[in-house]
Amino acid sequence: MNIKEIIDKEPIGQEIEIKGWVRTFRSNRFIALNDGSTVKNLQVVVDFENESEDTLKRITTGACLKIEGVVVESQGNGQTIELNSKMIEILGDSDPEEYPLQPKKHSMEFLREIAHLRPRTQTFGAIFRLRHALQFAVHKYFNDNGFFMVHTPIVTGSDAEGAGEMFRVSMLDPANPPKNEDGSINWKEDFFGKETNLTVSGQLEAELFALGLGKVYTFGPTFRAENSNTTRHLAEFWMIEPEVAFNDLFDNMDLAEDCLKYVIRYVIEQCGDDLNFLHERQLQEEKGLPEDKRSMPLLEKLKFVSENEFVRCSYTEAIDILRNSKPNKKKKFQYIIEEWGADLQSEHERYLVEKHFGKPVILYDYPASIKAFYMRLNEDGKTVRAMDILFPGIGEIVGGSQREERYDILKQKVADFGIEEESLWWYLETRKFGTCVHSGFGLGFERLINFVTGMTNIRDVIPFPRTPKNAEF
Ligand code: 4AD
Ligand code: MG
């Protein structure tokens, strides 16, 4: 039995063996032991007359123990059961002087510097059990709804977003690469016989499969070499990308909204202990703040989002709202909204969600000029069937669209965006054979986890974050 099972089942009177790490050791008598199965600790009452001086000295925060004992009703407050120890074995050396995780509050910044040890803290235990549950809920949602998962490639020869922010994959000698006559690098001699990169999105390949299997999704790592040092950007992140034949933009919105609500409800039902812990943690963190600076308590926020309809608002309406907003008129925004066509910054997205609507918002029909080449052009000739879902405290959590399924228009867009048609010949060709309306979106997995856990920095919800100048662990 692990600690979760022991706490759930309360096997009073039973003799058990348990292994785990010491969180705290008080009065030479009470060990708070954790094995990662739950946010809760098992209280072990040490039979100190039975243990050697040496053993007692080595029971320190961070030490790894094997304990045999009997489960009994707890004499103290704070737990219903505890373990009376009969035998304690110290499993590995542990230097209490040097162990960086003392039982006190550590800053998230400090914990990022010891990312090899942070899985042993209560907070990161809770975050990563939730991360697991969320990925399981995502797979369950799509499986239960008749989707097939496709493993799209990680090494690609095309730029799915057309933004040129890719990490190169090459085996050429950087000091002495083979050259063409004109002095440029001869990529034909490279491993794949062409220029290749780490993918920024599995969408284009998912589209090919949607046009054969109907309803598919990918869930894999994606890579962006953009130099964004923010609390919302990673250079390596995980994205969930469904793609559905015959869905138009509004079906796409319904799918995204339903999926988000499902996975949030799933963790509310399945991960109560971890969510309660993070809820309390947030209340503690924000205790000192004035009331209007505090965020909505975590459990309330999750319930609110899973039970309320998302607002749907066109880009054009949003621009009107923003242009007439107080922070725009008083020049409080860093980027003042003047004209239709402006790209929305995260300050604008957050104003719409947190101040104006007070709910998640689906913005749609964006100007073609600020969105990717593959989005379907509207009849007005200037907007595309794009949608972004904006969440409180997060900003953009989903980006998606109805895809351009008309060959001539897509070919023109590829040219207009300065993309080499050669690299996308296979994508274009699907528009020649049995082309149809289809749509999909990308849900940033870490942004979802940030929302669900109430964390404020995306580096704290991925095991080992990759960001500019940082790939230590
Ligand atoms: O809006 P994006 O760039 O859309 C696409 O990549 C499309 N191909 C998706 C599709 O239609 N299949 O990215 C989608 C989502 C964003 O809304 C955001 O949640 C997340 O991916 N995202 C990032 N998350 C962390 N770090 C980054 N650098 C991210 N860039 C995007
Ligand atoms: Mg986007």
Side-chain angles (χ1 to χ4, degrees):
M1 273 194 279
N2 59 31
I3 291 179
K4 180 175 188 330
E5 288 169 300
I6 293 168
I7 290 175
D8 285 350
K9 292 185 185 144
E10 305 192 342
I12 306 277
Q14 205 170 310
E15 203 158 310
I16 59 163
E17 178 192 293
I18 191 86
K19 298 185 191 106
W21 294 271
V22 177
R23 283 268 161 80
T24 58
F25 185 36
R26 297 186 282 121
S27 321
N28 247 357
R29 194 154 165 75
F30 301 106
I31 303 173
L33 194 77
N34 191 277
D35 66 358
S37 57
T38 162
V39 73
K40 293 177 179 162
N41 299 325
L42 178 66
Q43 166 143 301
V44 180
V45 185
V46 177
D47 178 5
F48 54 88
E49 282 173 3
N50 225 349
E51 302 295 342
S52 71
E53 267 304 289
D54 181 58
T55 302
L56 288 175
K57 234 172 55 204
R58 291 169 67 201
I59 302 175
T60 55
T61 296
C64 187
L65 308 184
K66 179 172 120 181
I67 303 176
E68 287 169 22
V70 181
V71 179
V72 296
E73 237 170 84
S74 177
Q75 308 296 306
N77 291 329
Q79 63 276 320
T80 52
I81 56 151
E82 57 196 18
L83 185 69
N84 281 348
S85 81
K86 286 193 159 167
M87 196 282 299
I88 297 180
E89 187 183 334
I90 315 273
L91 292 181
D93 281 338
S94 199
D95 182 343
E97 303 285 294
E98 283 195 24
Y99 188 58
L101 282 175
Q102 295 304 319
K104 61 164 194 178
K105 201 168 153 34
H106 296 290
S107 74
M108 297 307 266
E109 289 78 11
F110 171 70
L111 292 172
R112 255 170 249 148
E113 287 167 19
I114 52 163
H116 57 309
L117 295 172
R118 68 179 186 173
R120 298 198 201 170
T121 64
Q122 263 186 313
T123 301
F124 284 92
I127 293 170
F128 288 102
R129 279 185 297 271
L130 277 160
R131 184 176 170 117
H132 165 80
L134 281 167
Q135 67 85 31
F136 184 80
V138 166
H139 287 301
K140 183 162 165 49
Y141 176 82
F142 286 114
N143 184 65
D144 290 354
N145 285 286
F147 283 70
F148 302 106
M149 167 148 180
V150 180
H151 292 108
T152 50
I154 290 169
V155 177
T156 73
S158 57
D159 181 356
E161 291 300 299
E165 291 166 331
M166 297 184 294
F167 290 101
R168 187 184 301 290
V169 175
S170 173
M171 293 301 288
L172 296 182
D173 177 1
N176 188 23
K179 298 257 173 80
N180 296 311
E181 269 171 20
D182 64 1
S184 60
I185 292 173
N186 182 4
W187 296 108
K188 289 208 175 73
E189 296 214 2
D190 204 348
F191 190 93
F192 295 106
K194 63 187 300 195
E195 279 193 76
T196 48
N197 296 288
L198 295 180
T199 190
V200 295
S201 156
Q203 175 197 323
L204 302 189
E205 291 88 353
E207 280 188 54
L208 313 183
F209 271 76
L211 297 177
L213 276 73
K215 300 206 276 186
V216 301
Y217 72 107
T218 76
F219 188 165
T222 47
F223 307 86
R224 305 238 171 139
E226 53 183 332
N227 199 4
S228 301
N229 244 314
T230 77
T231 55
R232 328 181 311 131
H233 289 91
L234 291 163
E236 175 181 295
F237 64 98
W238 290 68
M239 188 160 38
I240 298 131
E241 295 183 276
E243 193 68 38
V244 185
F246 314 117
N247 266 11
D248 67 14
L249 186 68
F250 293 96
D251 302 322
N252 202 32
M253 293 180 192
D254 291 342
L255 177 66
E257 182 170 345
D258 191 50
C259 175
L260 281 165
K261 287 178 172 171
Y262 174 87
V263 298
I264 293 171
R265 276 200 312 271
Y266 181 88
V267 292
I268 292 175
E269 282 162 19
Q270 302 293 325
C271 306
D273 289 345
D274 287 321
L275 285 176
N276 279 332
F277 170 79
L278 292 170
H279 174 91
E280 289 302 324
R281 182 182 179 280
Q282 184 192 316
L283 293 184
Q284 285 299 322
E285 295 269 292
E286 297 187 355
K287 213 167 55 185
L289 296 178
E291 210 148 321
D292 62 324
K293 287 270 169 358
R294 288 182 216 161
S295 22
M296 194 189 275
L298 186 61
L299 291 172
E300 258 170 67
K301 181 187 83 172
L302 296 180
K303 218 164 156 268
F304 180 79
V305 166
S306 68
E307 287 173 0
N308 280 289
E309 295 241 318
F310 297 1
V311 173
R312 296 179 185 197
C313 170
S314 74
Y315 167 90
T316 304
E317 291 168 79
I319 286 290
D320 279 342
I321 293 167
L322 289 167
R323 236 190 326 222
N324 294 316
S325 70
K326 247 195 214 161
N328 204 58
K329 287 183 172 159
K330 295 196 166 159
K331 304 225 178 326
K332 287 270 162 58
F333 283 142
Q334 196 184 342
Y335 296 90
I336 303 301
I337 298 284
E338 272 155 10
E339 307 254 327
W340 188 94
D343 203 354
L344 301 184
Q345 306 296 326
S346 105
E347 58 181 346
H348 308 127
E349 296 175 346
R350 295 187 62 167
Y351 174 84
L352 289 169
V353 174
E354 289 158 30
K355 295 274 169 354
H356 187 80
F357 290 115
K359 274 187 194 182
V361 179
I362 310 184
L363 283 187
Y364 64 97
D365 283 352
Y366 281 78
S369 56
I370 58 170
K371 288 290 180 189
F373 71 94
Y374 51 69
M375 299 186 178
R376 194 183 197 280
L377 193 63
N378 278 316
E379 302 311 316
D380 62 14
K382 58 176 195 173
T383 59
V384 285
R385 305 243 87 182
M387 64 152 198
D388 278 3
I389 303 186
L390 315 177
F391 260 29
I394 303 289
E396 180 191 336
I397 193 165
V398 163
S401 64
Q402 185 174 323
R403 318 306 189 187
E404 185 55 78
E405 83 285 14
R406 298 163 296 185
Y407 180 76
D408 293 332
I409 297 174
L410 185 59
K411 194 172 140 89
Q412 188 57 49
K413 282 287 270 303
V414 168
D416 291 348
F417 276 69
I419 301 167
E420 280 176 47
E421 203 183 301
E422 245 166 77
S423 69
L424 288 176
W425 67 269
W426 41 272
Y427 183 70
L428 281 159
E429 206 170 277
T430 56
R431 272 57 174 175
K432 285 207 240 168
F433 310 125
T435 188
C436 68
V437 166
H438 62 287
S439 300
F441 61 84
L443 164 60
F445 189 46
E446 285 76 19
R447 291 199 187 166
L448 172 66
I449 306 169
N450 244 2
F451 180 74
V452 167
T453 59
M455 291 297 115
T456 50
N457 193 317
I458 199 163
R459 292 168 174 85
D460 297 328
V461 299
I462 187 160
F464 302 104
R466 270 86 184 94
T467 48
K469 302 277 181 287
N470 169 36
E472 178 74 15
F473 298 95

